[in-house]
Amino acid sequence: MDKFRMIFQFFQSNQESFMNGICGIMALASTQMYSAFDFNCPCLPHYNLAYGLGILLVPPFILFLLGFVLNNNISMLAEEWRRPQGQRGKDPAVLRYMFCSMAQRAMIAPAVWVSVTLLDGKCITCAFCTSVPVESLGNASHPRLSQGDIQRVLARIPCREIYNGQQLIANEVAVRYLRCISQALGWSFVLLMTTLAFLVRLLRPCFSQAAFLKSRYWSHYIDIERKLFDETCAEHARSFAKVCIQQFFQGMSTDLVAARCHLPRKAPADAGEAAEKLLGITDQGTMNMALKSWHRCKPPLHLHQPALPTGNGWVGEGEPPTHPSAPRRETAAYYSWV
């Protein structure tokens, strides 16, 4: 249990680790789905190709879209891409980094599905069974079969129980031939994916490491900023609801007192604290205006010290800030007459 708890805490440490864990779970789920899938080739000349390639390509596409759906950053990317310019510019490099990061994680489960499918060989056997070279593997000079009959016989190769073309080509020979081709394609696909991942990891620091660090930093910043904004809005909503409920019950108690129903009144201890968390936003219209302002013109990414107020206005408008003078120290001396 301790190991599972450590793994779970690692996945919850940051957004990137969490999405890596989700992609790993999806990759394992894709293999379990394929092992539990009941593959039934139609064994018809005009349907084998569509069924085999459909099983090979359609589930990876669904898993790819599911990888985007499960990624929490897809809504953040769409919001950052569609928001108005406002007071903060939109960096295309950060948007590209976010999209590429999500696409790389979403491609893990489809790549696992394609690899497992090609290594198993059933899809390729079903899709290309009519393309088996009968001239080199079987008896192409069968006198009683036309070209259409040969295609119908070859289409039944994946269905061993109804195959009746042993005189044309042996079922074991055709299946082994197609399965060897499928496994060769599968290992080539695995090698290609591994080589591409290795080259990306190896060559990326050699060309654009500074740009990559900048894009990664601001991508994490956007994610953290969104979480903090949601937490702040939730805290404000909680304080707003608490003050509204307290005012409602205070009004009810006032009405009851006016109706000569004497009730003990006690001021809530946390009323002032809840009112301070409202930060001056105490009505629905102001809150809606603040939310629209956050979306339309986010504050620029420039931290500055708040200006100090003076008697005539704000210091930062035309004159340098003045530091208050240090208080004068006074000392007292005591003399004793001896």
Side-chain angles (χ1 to χ4, degrees), residues 115-137:
S115 302
V116 173
T117 305
L118 290 176
L119 293 175
D120 185 59
K122 293 179 181 178
C123 290
I124 297 299
T125 303
C126 179
F128 298 101
C129 58
T130 56
S131 301
V132 174
V134 183
E135 296 82 2
S136 58
L137 298 179

Side-chain angles (χ1 to χ4, degrees), residues 12-268:
Q12 284 187 331
S13 60
N14 53 50
Q15 181 70 15
E16 190 170 353
S17 300
F18 176 75
M19 291 314 304
N20 290 335
I22 291 294
C23 293
I25 294 174
M26 286 185 59
L28 294 177
S30 65
T31 58
Q32 293 296 323
M33 288 171 56
Y34 183 79
S35 61
F37 176 70
D38 189 10
F39 188 88
N40 292 315
C41 186
C43 295
L44 295 173
H46 302 290
Y47 297 95
N48 285 6
L49 182 63
Y51 183 81
L53 294 183
I55 297 300
L56 179 64
L57 299 178
V58 173
F61 180 73
I62 297 175
L63 291 173
F64 181 74
L65 296 181
L66 187 61
F68 272 100
V69 171
L70 294 179
N71 199 320
N72 297 329
N73 291 338
I74 185 64
S75 58
M76 182 177 64
L77 174 62
E79 179 184 352
E80 184 68 16
W81 178 51
R82 291 294 300 171
R83 73 172 177 83
Q85 188 75 13
Q87 299 181 6
R88 182 190 302 180
K90 293 184 287 186
D91 193 351
V94 177
L95 299 179
R96 286 195 301 269
Y97 170 81
M98 294 170 61
F99 178 79
C100 293
S101 178
M102 288 186 293
Q104 290 174 4
R105 292 182 174 89
M107 283 293 295
I108 296 177
V112 172
W113 177 277
V114 173
S115 302
V116 173
T117 305
L118 290 176
L119 293 175
D120 185 59
K122 293 179 181 178
C123 290
I124 297 299
T125 303
C126 179
F128 298 101
C129 58
T130 56
S131 301
V132 174
V134 183
E135 296 82 2
S136 58
L137 298 179
N139 185 14
S141 61
H142 201 280
R144 293 176 297 176
L145 295 177
S146 62
Q147 188 65 27
D149 294 335
I150 292 176
Q151 293 295 318
R152 283 190 291 271
V153 171
L154 294 179
R156 297 177 182 177
I157 289 177
C159 306
R160 188 186 300 270
E161 61 277 3
I162 62 174
Y163 181 70
N164 57 355
Q166 292 291 342
Q167 297 178 356
L168 182 64
I169 184 174
N171 183 273
E172 294 80 3
V173 174
V175 170
R176 181 168 297 185
Y177 172 78
L178 293 173
R179 185 166 293 179
C180 289
I181 294 177
S182 179
Q183 291 179 354
L185 292 175
W187 285 116
S188 300
F189 180 78
V190 172
L191 179 61
L192 178 62
M193 292 293 102
T194 307
T195 304
L196 289 178
F198 172 75
L199 291 178
V200 169
R201 292 283 186 176
L202 179 66
L203 299 179
R204 184 174 59 187
C206 300
F207 293 97
S208 58
Q209 182 67 10
F212 170 75
L213 292 176
K214 183 191 71 172
S215 302
R216 183 176 181 179
Y217 175 85
W218 291 116
S219 174
H220 291 335
Y221 173 82
I222 294 174
D223 182 31
I224 295 173
E225 184 186 51
R226 185 186 184 188
K227 290 180 180 179
L228 291 177
F229 184 77
D230 292 341
E231 293 175 0
T232 304
C233 289
E235 184 179 0
H236 184 276
R238 181 178 179 86
S239 302
F240 191 85
K242 183 182 293 185
V243 173
C244 286
I245 293 172
Q246 290 171 353
Q247 290 180 356
F248 169 75
F249 280 101
Q250 288 175 3
M252 288 295 296
S253 64
T254 303
D255 295 339
L256 292 176
V257 170
R260 298 180 180 179
C261 296
H262 299 284
L263 298 175
R265 299 182 59 186
K266 182 179 180 181

Side-chain angles (χ1 to χ4, degrees), residues 307-328:
L308 298 176
T310 59
N312 298 328
W314 294 93
V315 173
E317 296 181 356
E319 58 187 38
T322 58
H323 300 283
S325 57
R328 187 177 58 183

